[in-house]
Amino acid sequence: MAPAAAAFLEKAPLERYVAPQKPSLVGMTRAELSDALGRVGVAEGQRKMRVQQLWHWIYFRGFTSFEAMTSVSKGLRALLAEHYTLDRPEVVAEQVSVDGTRKWLMRLPGDPDSKLPHEIETVYIPDTERGTLCVSSQVGCTLNCSFCHTGTQRLVRNLTAGEIVGQVLAARDRLGDWPGGTRPTDGVVPTGDRCVTNIVMMGMGEPLYNFEAVRDALLIVSDGDGIGISKRRITLSTSGVVPMIERAGAEIGCMLAISLHAVRDELRNELVPLNRKYPIKELLQACRNYPGASNAKRITFEYVMLKGVNDSIEEAKALVRLLKGIPAKINLIPFNPWPGSHYECSDWEQIEKFSQVVFDAGYASPVRTPRGRDILAACGQLKSASEKLSVRERMALRAMAMTDE
Ligand code: SAH
Ligand code: SF4
């Protein structure tokens, strides 16, 4: 390994997070809500009951103000409004694709010293019976995967749990996805009683580099008294932060997806530079040890199809050999090009040949249909879209409806 390799692995330093003067209760765990109530003088004996009430209004009903929380006394409502908000990230742009895919650009409080806006993307991919929300875990990403647009962004900071949960709330606000809500009339939403049925941590950022916030957020999202999305319908995608994989299994317990993209360390070092720190063998060992992995709860392996780089039949064969013995699903993702990227998406014929090898090895429907082509739904690309991409550049998209549930 070259001595400079470590420097190439990650960007530093992280951009500063400056909390808003009036904190939002969104993203607070039960314990944090209890403390927040304590700070405005609610007696200890009352807090548990009050937390239950707030939890219901915030996470089950999706209320954005304290005023209408009828089970909370008037005095307490006023006190809460004086000290706290229920703010979610501010949606500054929305794009709706003809197939119903929606992308939101969301603005977060920035660092007053840097003056650069902190922006993230959240993407909604509806299907007939489910709707998948692709959520970001960081502004930008400290890692530098060579095919990923997010990796090129200079500005990086971790999102707070509130900003992660806030994306789910903001999406449900926009979709009228609360009890008694009104669905949008444009685009498509699933037929069931919920618009957002699945969550994938596949937006901007590396979730396992922001572990505590992601964990707290996902535990809130899966809590049955609130948003109530089952952990089987939540998928966390990682580029392979090996030491955190076991913790993710033990402390979050959601589905796991691994951005594999190559079967040899030499190539993976180039595509996913974090591989220099945690090579394929160690990564796969962590997958074998992932708590709860079974045939009923398979690990998804993502493989981006890069023309002439990783898409040979030999590599397809090596891929199925490599994953032998791991309860796995394989997702072949058509590469989504961006201005300045050095790669091209594999030809469709080659993707089909590659996919046939994977299929013959017993993996079902390995290619995901590109969605939201017209609005560049690949996570990390809305900003480039607003920077005016040419039509030619709007090519095959990575797919994001990853879960089968
Ligand atoms: N940082 C995490 C999650 C966010 S990226 C991770 O890397 O897994 C989500 C997925 O999109 C990853 O599999 C990533 O490799 C893939 N991806 C990133 N840029 C892409 C592009 N231009 N085309 C296709 N897939 C891409
Ligand atoms: Fe970061 Fe994932 Fe993009 Fe790599 S693929 S730069 S880990 S967001």
Side-chain angles (χ1 to χ4, degrees), residues 17-28 36 39-40 64-67 76-89 109 160 162-163:
Y17 168 71
V18 180
Q21 278 201 329
K22 235 191 199 189
S24 173
L25 297 185
V26 168
M28 288 194 183
R39 281 194 294 275
V40 297
T64 52
S65 81
F66 297 103
E67 277 153 50
L76 181 55
R77 276 184 259 165
L79 206 56
L80 288 170
E82 199 183 311
H83 293 91
Y84 301 110
T85 72
L86 294 167
D87 286 353
R88 319 63 165 92
T160 63
E163 290 167 336

Side-chain angles (χ1 to χ4, degrees), residues 2-247:
F8 182 61
L9 282 184
E10 297 164 36
K11 299 187 217 61
L14 288 174
E15 184 86 352
R16 209 154 57 98
Y17 168 71
V18 180
Q21 278 201 329
K22 235 191 199 189
S24 173
L25 297 185
V26 168
M28 288 194 183
T29 61
R30 284 190 167 80
E32 287 165 348
L33 279 177
S34 179
D35 291 346
L37 287 167
R39 281 194 294 275
V40 297
V42 175
E44 196 159 2
Q46 287 235 324
R47 285 182 212 159
K48 200 167 171 207
M49 181 261 292
R50 293 292 182 208
V51 166
Q52 270 316 93
Q53 291 173 334
L54 282 175
W55 196 269
H56 178 83
W57 294 116
I58 300 171
Y59 298 126
F60 186 80
R61 303 288 295 274
F63 276 30
T64 52
S65 81
F66 297 103
E67 277 153 50
M69 297 184 172
T70 46
S71 62
V72 180
S73 71
K74 248 189 169 163
L76 181 55
R77 276 184 259 165
L79 206 56
L80 288 170
E82 199 183 311
H83 293 91
Y84 301 110
T85 72
L86 294 167
D87 286 353
R88 319 63 165 92
E90 180 197 355
V91 176
V92 290
E94 176 182 58
Q95 287 178 294
V96 185
S97 150
V98 284
D99 69 9
T101 304
R102 280 163 197 271
K103 277 187 81 146
W104 295 291
L105 184 65
M106 302 199 189
R107 187 159 300 151
L108 310 170
D111 177 347
D113 294 338
S114 87
K115 299 210 170 50
L116 292 165
H118 290 191
E119 289 171 340
I120 46 162
E121 291 161 0
T122 310
V123 181
Y124 175 67
I125 310 112
D127 224 317
T128 37
E129 272 151 33
R130 63 167 188 252
T132 304
L133 194 69
C134 180
V135 172
S136 294
S137 57
Q138 298 180 309
V139 175
C141 183
T142 54
L143 298 172
N144 303 289
C145 301
S146 55
F147 57 91
C148 173
H149 191 234
T150 306
T152 65
Q153 275 168 237
R154 201 168 54 82
L155 187 72
V156 180
R157 82 158 163 87
N158 279 338
L159 300 191
T160 63
E163 290 167 336
I164 298 168
V165 176
Q167 292 171 67
V168 180
L169 301 192
R172 296 189 67 196
D173 294 343
R174 306 291 297 197
L175 295 165
D177 194 25
W178 297 110
T182 312
R183 299 286 155 85
T185 47
D186 58 340
V188 187
V189 286
T191 47
D193 53 346
R194 291 282 289 264
C195 290
V196 178
T197 60
N198 294 64
I199 302 283
V200 291
M201 293 303 299
M202 290 183 189
M204 297 165 73
E206 169 48 58
L208 295 188
Y209 269 14
N210 186 15
F211 182 77
E212 275 85 12
V214 167
R215 176 197 58 203
D216 290 353
L218 293 183
L219 292 179
I220 290 170
V221 167
S222 60
D223 187 291
D225 293 335
I227 302 167
I229 297 177
S230 125
K231 289 178 184 178
R232 297 190 55 95
R233 291 167 175 260
I234 301 177
T235 304
L236 183 151
S237 173
T238 178
S239 56
V241 187
V242 166
M244 301 308 288
I245 289 179
E246 192 179 342
R247 271 190 82 187

Side-chain angles (χ1 to χ4, degrees), residues 13 283 305:
L283 177 58
M305 299 300 295

Side-chain angles (χ1 to χ4, degrees), residues 141 145 147-149 201-207 237-239 257-259 261 302 304 333-338 378-379 381 397-398:
C141 183
C145 301
F147 57 91
C148 173
H149 191 234
M201 293 303 299
M202 290 183 189
M204 297 165 73
E206 169 48 58
S237 173
T238 178
S239 56
I258 302 286
S259 297
H261 308 319
E302 298 159 272
V304 63
I333 309 171
F335 170 62
N336 184 24
W338 38 275
C379 299
Q381 305 241 330
L397 288 177
R398 64 164 299 256

